[in-house]
Amino acid sequence: MTVDTATETFEEHRPVLTGVAYRMLGRVADAEDVVQEAWLRWSAASREDVREPRAFLVRITTRLAIDRLRHLRSRRESYPGTWLPEPVVTDFGPAVPDTAERAVLADSVSLAVLVVLESLSPLERAVFVLREAFGFPYAEIATALDRSEEAVRQLAGRARRHVEGRKPRYDVDPAERRDLTERFLAAASGGGIEQLLALLAPDVRLVSDSGGKAKAPRRIIESADKVGRFLFAVAGELGPDGEIRIVELNGGPAAVYFIRGRVDTVFQIEVSQGVIQCAYIIRNPDKLSGLSAV
């Protein structure tokens, strides 16, 4: 296999490798580092013996991601406030024409699911991502993780039960989420507090991530009255230099607030039964720099 062929092969599989790494790590920079390391190992490998490049590359990427995740765990335990995944633009494009497959991929990259995945062990997370998000056969996952197929099936079952038990039940209809996002923004910016409160579930939750580098609540805020009044006050502080755009992030619509071309805040909601059940605010500048080109 020539250098040009090796590069073409790697680039062909890069989207899958990046998708696996991001779902494992929750940060774009970490995922890109892992994929870059996978490329270095691929370029240095004796590729003549590789019969299935995709399986080989996924195996390298997954193992590197597991090692990186174990290293990151201690750092996240000391994270100031609540840790949320880095938001990422999701555009599955023509490569994923099937509606059902798009729904699975969108759900697997949602903030709600990625937060739950943080509570899995690195091995459980790897099995869940490979099996549930990308549909890899158990035998292929077993080879990637150097485990028996039976052990992988047990890990998959345990991870699935854990995720299903902790994952909130939200509606995933993007049109409904976008409609509620736009109505919420209209109520917060030009309506009254009562109009805004009508869009919130009684037990709505607000989860913020600033990394200690921007103004945002470090604790989760609960109840419609507290969340509504906080967001109404925040909306009233938005300056004239700002601009809000609706962008698809992590499989769903999100409001992205720009100040002079720089992303300042990402706001995304989860919906159920026609009202907002959870709202996420991400203000950590380290997690927003990659969105400036949106």
Side-chain angles (χ1 to χ4, degrees), residues 218-233:
R218 291 199 177 188
R219 295 184 179 181
I220 296 173
I221 300 176
E222 299 183 87
S223 86
D225 184 68
K226 292 180 180 178
V227 171
R229 294 187 184 282
F230 172 81
L231 291 176
F232 193 75

Side-chain angles (χ1 to χ4, degrees), residues 37-65:
E37 179 63 25
W39 158 250
L40 294 175
R41 297 196 182 192
W42 167 250
S43 61
S46 177
R47 294 181 295 275
E48 289 74 13
D49 299 330
V50 178
R51 289 180 294 180
E52 297 183 15
R54 178 173 177 267
F56 180 85
L57 290 168
V58 168
R59 179 167 70 250
I60 293 174
T61 301
T62 302
R63 292 181 178 181
L64 289 170

Side-chain angles (χ1 to χ4, degrees), residues 111-152:
L111 295 181
V113 168
L114 290 176
V115 168
V116 174
L117 293 188
E118 283 291 303
S119 59
L120 295 176
S121 72
L123 271 179
E124 288 172 337
R125 186 165 183 167
V127 171
F128 184 89
V129 167
L130 294 176
R131 180 63 184 172
E132 300 298 326
F134 293 95
F136 281 88
Y138 287 113
E140 195 169 333
I141 299 173
T143 301
L145 299 180
D146 196 21
R147 295 291 192 279
S148 70
E149 187 172 337
E150 178 59 30
V152 166

Side-chain angles (χ1 to χ4, degrees), residues 147-223:
R147 295 291 192 279
S148 70
E149 187 172 337
E150 178 59 30
V152 166
R153 288 180 180 273
Q154 291 177 1
L155 283 167
R158 188 160 64 240
R160 190 182 304 112
R161 289 190 298 271
H162 181 92
V163 173
E164 289 300 319
R166 294 196 177 195
K167 183 178 72 171
R169 298 294 184 266
Y170 297 137
D171 298 333
V172 296
D173 182 3
E176 183 180 14
R177 291 177 69 186
R178 184 183 181 99
D179 176 64
L180 262 175
T181 299
E182 292 175 343
R183 287 165 57 195
F184 178 88
L185 292 174
S189 60
I193 184 67
E194 296 302 325
Q195 182 182 349
L196 189 152
L197 291 174
L199 303 176
L200 304 177
D203 56 349
V204 63
R205 302 167 74 244
L206 175 69
V207 186
S208 303
D209 178 351
S210 68
K213 299 181 179 182
K215 184 180 178 181
R218 291 199 177 188
R219 295 184 179 181
I220 296 173
I221 300 176
E222 299 183 87
S223 86

